[in-house]
Amino acid sequence: MQPKMTRELFDKVILPVYAPANFIPVKGFGSRVWDQHGEEYIDFAGGIAVNALGHCHPRLVKALQVQSEKLWHVSNVFTNEPSLKLAQKLIDNTFADRVFFANSGAEANEAAFKLARYYAIQKYNPYKTKIIAFYQSFHGRTFFTVSVGGQAKYSDGFGPKPADIIHVPFNDLDAVKAVMDDHTCAVVLEPVQGEGGLASATPEFLQGVRKLCDEYQALLVFDEVQCGMGRTGRLYTYQQYDVKPDILTSAKALGGGFPISAMLTTNEIASVMHPGVHGTTYGGNPLACAVACEAFDIINSPEVLEGVQIRRALFIKELELINDKFKLFREYRGKGLLLGVELQPEFHNKARDLLNVAAEFKVMILNAGSNVLRFTPSLIISEDEIKEGMARLTKAVEKVVNA
Ligand SMILES: Cc1ncc(COP(=O)(O)O)c(C=O)c1O
């Protein structure tokens, strides 16, 4: 007999690395999700900045259906049309000339860091291996990516780490200058730190880091896994700054909910690579690429991109109404619909509680650390859905404040 699919079953059969909510979503459409009992939730979390077009967008469903009847997988022993199409779209709309496809953000970053090291070693010398990264950054969960990420809670406890990685405070150009040298192969950063609390890079910082990288022949790597693909109102966040990276990684919203990631770079940097140096079985599979092509065309439109700031303003307007009543929020952070709200000191460490109580009141939100609430909804969420979700959040806040 099949066991009942309950939250309790999770605690028996899944590796205990997550602490999911008590309800189990079974269906989603747009910015609404339904659980096993037919209860409806407003989704302000968007699968952690993944479902940029909401759930089951009809055009994505159609693209998936059409491709599912043609070709799912052939491996990289062969190329395929959807991956070539998607690569061309990415190239036509960014600084890049070359694309490597993988399946998750961590894998795209793993490829980026390996490429940065490989390029420096091939082109300069075997000692040019230092990677400069930032505290509070997050780049994924492989051992190389947690080691480059600036949060000990994710990287410690697994034995010796990859060497020659140094962390300095984000937005502190002097700190970068102090550690930059001829042995540096790359500086790695998120233009908006997604998991680390939604700090945005200042223009002066990005411009300064770019200059330093040029001076020391180091590559500038932007991790846009969370802040890319329209989330901050441009296709990629770097396009708001007058600063081009040498390597950029993209994932999450790239597939609109279907797993896919990409690492973008230039012809010059790509020139050191040859068959066999790096690879993945599933990367660039036709099914993922067909969905991502459709997601790309929808997201990369003036209508969707321009709508991001309008929706951010609506979110902040509604959050201000909550704040007028409960004096809970201290500061708005992030860009576009990568929106962070820092809690007042008296509510520090309450972010996760708020998230749990919000779920009780049927609205899905996120935290980023223990003091910041995070909203990463669909880029096309409607005004009504925002208002309804905020009405629910108001009740949740009331419960937490009065607890
Ligand atoms: C900026 C950033 N980089 C990398 C990752 C890792 O992506 P994935 O979980 O798809 O491996 C994340 C995930 O949250 C992220 O926010």
Side-chain angles (χ1 to χ4, degrees):
M1 203 177 73
Q2 275 277 342
K4 264 182 100 179
M5 297 304 128
T6 61
R7 174 63 181 76
E8 288 68 41
L9 187 60
F10 174 95
D11 292 332
K12 281 199 196 135
V13 298
I14 304 290
L15 192 78
V17 293
Y18 307 115
N22 289 328
F23 71 96
I24 300 185
V26 293
K27 194 174 83 171
F29 190 73
S31 287
R32 291 176 196 264
V33 167
W34 289 266
D35 71 11
Q36 291 169 309
H37 309 293
E39 296 280 352
E40 179 226 75
Y41 297 76
I42 298 282
D43 187 1
F44 285 165
I48 319 188
V50 168
N51 304 313
L53 299 169
H55 298 273
C56 294
H57 189 289
R59 280 178 59 185
L60 299 193
V61 171
K62 177 94 184 159
L64 184 64
Q65 278 170 345
V66 168
Q67 187 61 39
S68 75
E69 290 174 7
K70 282 191 190 166
L71 187 71
W72 290 23
H73 176 81
V74 284
S75 87
N76 288 299
V77 175
F78 311 92
T79 190
N80 68 77
E81 290 184 358
S83 74
L84 296 174
K85 220 188 261 177
L86 181 61
Q88 194 62 58
K89 286 179 196 291
L90 288 163
I91 287 166
D92 290 346
N93 289 280
T94 65
F95 73 98
D97 313 306
R98 296 280 182 155
V99 181
F100 172 79
F101 288 118
N103 314 289
S104 65
E107 285 169 90
N109 283 329
E110 184 79 21
F113 306 159
K114 282 178 71 181
L115 174 60
R117 285 247 174 112
Y118 200 76
Y119 177 78
I121 289 168
Q122 298 292 311
K123 180 112 183 160
Y124 300 103
N125 65 67
Y127 308 105
K128 197 169 170 62
T129 54
K130 186 201 273 186
I131 293 178
I132 300 175
F134 296 90
Y135 293 124
Q136 307 307 329
S137 64
F138 184 80
H139 300 298
R141 301 294 199 131
T142 65
F143 207 20
F144 201 173
T145 55
V146 280
S147 303
V148 174
Q151 303 189 53
K153 66 180 177 191
Y154 299 130
S155 61
D156 288 7
F158 302 99
K161 294 175 194 162
D164 217 7
I165 299 164
I166 188 158
H167 296 98
V168 294
F170 191 55
N171 271 334
D172 185 342
L173 194 57
D174 287 338
V176 180
K177 267 186 202 153
V179 294
M180 186 71 139
D181 57 18
D182 288 332
H183 299 305
T184 305
C185 70
V187 177
V188 177
L189 63 90
E190 298 159 82
V192 180
Q193 288 191 328
E195 299 298 308
L198 285 304
S200 301
T202 64
E204 307 73 53
F205 177 66
L206 283 200
Q207 282 152 15
V209 170
R210 175 72 272 176
K211 250 177 94 190
L212 280 174
C213 284
D214 292 342
E215 221 172 292
Y216 287 90
Q217 283 90 41
L219 301 182
L220 181 55
V221 181
F222 285 171
D223 176 347
E224 293 222 19
V225 165
Q226 186 154 167
C227 67
M229 281 311 292
R231 181 125 315 262
T232 67
R234 296 288 297 269
L235 183 64
Y236 286 103
T237 301
Y238 84 86
Q239 292 165 333
Q240 300 182 23
Y241 295 85
D242 199 15
V243 176
K244 276 188 200 154
D246 300 298
I247 299 177
L248 178 144
T249 54
S250 184
K252 289 193 183 273
L254 183 62
F258 201 96
I260 180 170
S261 64
M263 179 195 69
L264 280 54
T265 192
T266 61
N267 273 330
E268 158 61 20
I269 297 161
S271 69
V272 296
M273 287 305 204
H274 51 84
V277 178
H278 190 63
T280 155
T281 297
Y282 292 115
N285 72 80
L287 208 49
C289 291
V291 179
C293 277
E294 197 65 19
F296 189 98
D297 288 346
I298 304 172
I299 291 172
N300 193 34
S301 65
E303 192 192 337
V304 172
L305 295 177
E306 284 162 18
V308 168
Q309 300 312 346
I310 297 168
R311 287 171 175 81
R312 180 183 175 91
L314 274 171
F315 265 87
I316 290 182
K317 192 173 144 203
E318 293 289 327
L319 287 164
E320 280 292 277
L321 293 177
I322 297 180
N323 212 24
D324 286 346
K325 274 197 198 152
F326 300 108
K327 309 277 176 273
L328 188 71
F329 309 138
R330 179 175 171 174
E331 185 190 34
Y332 298 105
R333 294 199 191 159
K335 289 183 182 297
L337 289 172
L338 184 48
L339 170 61
V341 187
E342 192 199 338
L343 299 173
Q344 289 287 4
E346 58 268 39
F347 294 101
H348 276 188
N349 298 319
K350 288 266 190 253
R352 189 82 198 184
D353 291 350
L354 272 159
L355 185 148
N356 291 335
V357 178
E360 272 176 40
F361 285 91
K362 312 282 183 284
V363 56
M364 297 151 80
I365 63 168
L366 298 169
N367 63 313
S370 48
N371 308 330
V372 177
L373 298 183
R374 179 171 36 155
F375 300 86
T376 53
S378 159
L379 307 183
I380 54 171
I381 187 170
S382 71
E383 187 171 347
D384 282 351
E385 286 162 336
I386 295 174
K387 284 194 167 150
E388 194 169 336
M390 284 297 175
R392 298 178 191 190
L393 184 62
T394 308
K395 290 185 193 148
V397 167
E398 189 169 10
K399 181 168 173 184
V400 170
V401 169
N402 295 330

